[in-house]
Amino acid sequence: MINTDICIIGAGPVGLFAVFEAGLLKMRCHLIDVLPQVGGQLSEIYPHKPIYDIPGYPSITAQELIDNQLEQIKPFAPTFTLGERVEQIEKQDDGSFIIATSDDTKVHAQVIVIAGGLGCFEPRKPEIQNLHLFEGKGVDYMVKDPAKYADKRIVIAGGGDSALDWTYHLADIAQHVTLIHRSDSFRGAPDSAEKVFKLAQQGKINLLLSHNLSNIHGNGTLTAVETINKDKETIAVEADYFIPLYGLTPKLGPIADWGLNIDKNAIEVNTFDYSTNVERIYAIGDINTYPGKLKLILCGYHEAALMCQSAFKFVYPDQKLTFKYTTVNGINTF
């Protein structure tokens, strides 16, 4: 039995920041993740993707962010169970929990924090009849290594942040990049859209708006992606790789059976402290939902900080959360 104060389900960036905030309050953390390594989606899906909205970093790759966070939490010595999925939880008479994984690892914790991102996920795929024939033969649903696309003809499809960011990033790596979107406007950040529009105006990428995907072609490997525009004209774009970035389909897995209030595969929380309807269970990051929710890493960090302030009362029920400091030579020391 592993004994800890807080059991965090999910070892992505938000879960890791929760370790830091908990550590400042002298609370120990054990993290469980179904993936074989720390980092969640950032390490598994797009480790080389640049991230632009982390304070203090004009740009940082996903894996660099995870590496920095691991360095940040070292003083608090968190422990990890990786490559295992949480299957069930059992509430004890004193209010604490015993958490059991798919490999029968057991963790005893006073508080559970669900920071599982999108939970179990799979990419959303465009409705193209023969798409599956080219999976692994030119069709990729995520970018793990941008160097793979050096000097290649790339077609990206999508209108969100991932499609915009990868179009911008791969424009300097690939031989040629084409971005296809079914609308004439983007769902992603306006700044990212503006950068992509500028690349198109400069002739550095090919931008096909109001185009719908219709087919893909090849003989064993991909050779072209076919689209239909609003005038019903068919256009074939030569391609070595096709990367449809339509987001991920979330699945909560066993978490859905824990008696939590669920809305569209997300866990409802109280924004006072990001607690769920089950006492001592919190949900932070992309896996939760509330009015005005934004699925940003930055928002998950904020949620983790407030959650830890609330969790303190369950870990140390006889203590009040206070901060004492002394002033030495004009400097406050906590």
Side-chain angles (χ1 to χ4, degrees):
M1 182 77 72
I2 298 168
N3 289 289
T4 190
D5 296 324
I6 300 177
C7 180
I8 301 174
I9 302 171
V14 173
L16 295 179
F17 190 69
V19 173
F20 175 77
E21 288 293 322
L24 293 177
L25 301 176
K26 305 297 183 183
M27 295 187 291
R28 297 167 297 128
C29 293
H30 182 81
L31 297 90
I32 303 174
D33 202 301
V34 69
L35 295 174
Q37 76 283 323
V38 174
Q41 296 172 44
L42 268 64
S43 296
E44 177 69 10
I45 300 178
Y46 38 74
H48 300 282
K49 182 179 184 295
I51 300 174
Y52 303 106
D53 58 355
I54 302 299
Y57 292 94
S59 177
I60 186 171
T61 68
Q63 189 58 53
E64 286 173 339
L65 178 61
I66 294 301
D67 292 342
N68 286 355
Q69 288 196 238
L70 285 171
E71 186 68 25
Q72 183 184 39
I73 64 176
K74 268 185 180 179
F76 305 119
T79 51
F80 296 86
T81 295
L82 301 175
E84 299 180 28
R85 185 173 78 168
V86 173
E87 292 292 338
Q88 62 185 61
I89 60 173
E90 182 180 341
K91 196 153 193 175
Q92 307 300 294
D93 291 340
D94 64 355
S96 65
F97 295 93
I98 292 180
I99 301 99
T101 74
S102 52
D103 286 0
D104 206 31
T105 299
K106 288 186 170 59
V107 179
H108 179 244
Q110 297 300 318
V111 171
I112 293 176
V113 177
I114 305 171
L118 294 175
C120 302
F121 53 87
E122 58 185 35
R124 292 190 178 97
K125 302 179 182 181
E127 295 181 2
I128 299 177
Q129 187 173 4
N130 60 343
L131 185 68
H132 66 284
L133 299 177
F134 295 94
E135 292 175 347
K137 300 176 182 178
V139 173
D140 293 338
Y141 297 109
M142 58 191 72
V143 179
K144 290 190 175 182
D145 182 10
K148 171 183 177 180
Y149 306 104
D151 301 320
K152 301 296 183 181
R153 299 166 299 176
I154 311 300
V155 173
I156 296 173
D161 287 315
S162 289
L164 291 169
D165 289 346
W166 279 122
T167 297
Y168 182 76
H169 188 66
L170 292 176
D172 292 328
I173 297 174
Q175 175 186 325
H176 192 265
V177 176
T178 298
L179 174 60
I180 299 170
H181 184 37
R182 63 186 178 184
S183 177
D184 60 1
S185 61
F186 292 103
R187 302 185 311 277
D191 181 68
S192 299
E194 184 179 351
K195 289 178 180 178
V196 168
F197 279 124
K198 284 183 178 179
L199 288 178
Q201 292 169 355
Q202 296 165 0
K204 294 183 178 180
I205 66 166
N206 184 24
L207 183 58
L208 299 179
L209 299 179
S210 299
H211 280 65
N212 288 302
L213 297 167
S214 58
N215 208 343
I216 55 178
H217 302 282
N219 184 15
T221 58
L222 181 72
T223 58
V225 177
E226 187 179 285
T227 72
I228 298 177
N229 64 21
K230 58 185 177 182
D231 296 322
K232 306 301 181 182
E233 297 172 331
T234 298
I235 298 174
V237 182
E238 293 183 349
D240 299 303
Y241 288 98
F242 173 47
I243 311 172
L245 297 173
Y246 291 163
L248 302 170
T249 300
K251 295 182 179 179
L252 288 178
I255 293 174
D257 301 322
W258 293 357
L260 303 171
N261 290 340
I262 307 293
D263 179 24
K264 297 178 182 177
N265 283 315
I267 301 170
E268 294 181 343
V269 293
N270 181 343
T271 53
F272 177 77
D273 57 4
Y274 302 96
S275 57
T276 69
N277 60 298
V278 178
E279 189 177 66
R280 299 193 187 213
I281 298 182
Y282 299 81
I284 57 177
D286 285 357
I287 204 162
N288 75 15
T289 185
Y290 51 84
K293 169 71 177 182
L294 290 177
K295 292 189 176 184
L296 299 174
I297 295 174
L298 184 65
C299 294
Y301 291 165
H302 159 81
E303 295 163 11
L306 293 186
M307 174 277 298
C308 285
Q309 300 288 313
S310 176
F312 183 87
K313 65 179 178 288
F314 297 117
V315 176
Y316 298 110
D318 298 324
Q319 297 184 31
K320 289 185 177 181
L321 184 55
T322 59
F323 295 95
K324 297 181 181 179
Y325 65 90
T326 57
T327 302
V328 180
N329 296 326
I331 299 176
N332 293 333
T333 304
F334 287 88

